[in-house]
Amino acid sequence: RHGFVGELTFFPHGKDQHEACSRGVIDATFSCEVPALVHLDRLPGLTLTASPGELGDIALVVPADSDIHGVADLRGRSIAVLGGASSELLLDQWLADAGLARGRDVVGEMHGGIGETAVAAVTSGAADAAVLWDPWLTRAQQQHGLRVVHAAPFWSVVALYDGRIEDETQYH
């Protein structure tokens, strides 16, 4: 409608996206909150122009019959963490708010960006809980009946680089 032709480029990691933007390969990008903060710090030409809203949630989940009912109940337990700066920062904040810390009071097992392995860890009993983000969170709740103990929204952002898009409203 606006004469704009987009090309979908998948970046497995925020670092890959950052490098493409800094090389000038990407004019505008859709990202989530924590990678965007890193980009803001490292790319002087970056401008956040919109937030389409929540991508879903990031949540601490447990099996439905678990005796874990709050973050404080995680002391001495293991947590499978779907990797990503947002999930790690939230987990560390939730733990700190409960007087706990990863490595000292709970064991955090990192699962990179592969949600299936974090889900498998909690559903098989290899981990007592998991921190998941959507779409894995919703899928795991639907397929495995996992119960949410604590959650926060997962926000998306649109960013433009070095003025390479003349009319951002066309892009949005």
Side-chain angles (χ1 to χ4, degrees):
R1 183 173 94 189
H2 296 286
F4 180 77
V5 177
E7 177 182 328
L8 181 62
T9 304
F10 174 74
F11 297 102
H13 307 292
K15 181 180 178 188
D16 302 326
Q17 182 183 41
H18 174 84
E19 289 173 354
C21 295
S22 65
R23 288 193 324 268
V25 175
I26 302 297
D27 298 323
T29 190
F30 177 81
S31 186
C32 57
E33 54 197 7
V34 174
L37 293 174
V38 173
H39 299 330
L40 278 170
D41 182 54
R42 298 181 183 169
L43 295 171
L46 174 88
T47 305
L48 296 183
T49 61
S51 176
E54 293 180 32
L55 291 171
D57 286 326
I58 298 173
L60 173 67
V61 295
V62 295
D65 61 352
S66 172
D67 62 351
I68 297 171
H69 296 284
V71 176
D73 296 332
L74 293 171
R75 185 179 302 279
R77 309 286 185 112
S78 63
I79 307 169
V81 183
L82 173 55
S86 297
S87 56
E88 291 183 60
L89 286 171
L90 277 172
L91 173 61
D92 289 341
Q93 184 60 56
W94 295 336
L95 291 172
D97 290 347
L100 304 174
R102 260 193 303 166
R104 183 188 74 204
D105 302 300
V106 300
V107 175
E109 178 185 316
M110 299 309 299
H111 285 264
I114 304 167
E116 290 82 2
T117 63
V119 171
V122 75
T123 57
S124 71
D128 299 300
V131 175
L132 305 174
W133 38 273
D134 277 318
W136 291 279
L137 171 62
T138 299
R139 190 176 308 135
Q141 286 178 279
Q142 292 169 347
Q143 294 176 355
H144 302 288
L146 297 179
R147 178 170 46 84
V148 172
V149 173
H150 209 64
F154 188 34
W155 294 95
S156 61
V157 296
V158 175
L160 303 180
Y161 296 90
D162 294 328
R164 292 192 289 260
I165 302 285
E166 291 180 19
D167 181 2
E168 68 186 57
T169 59
Q170 283 184 322
Y171 177 76
H172 293 160

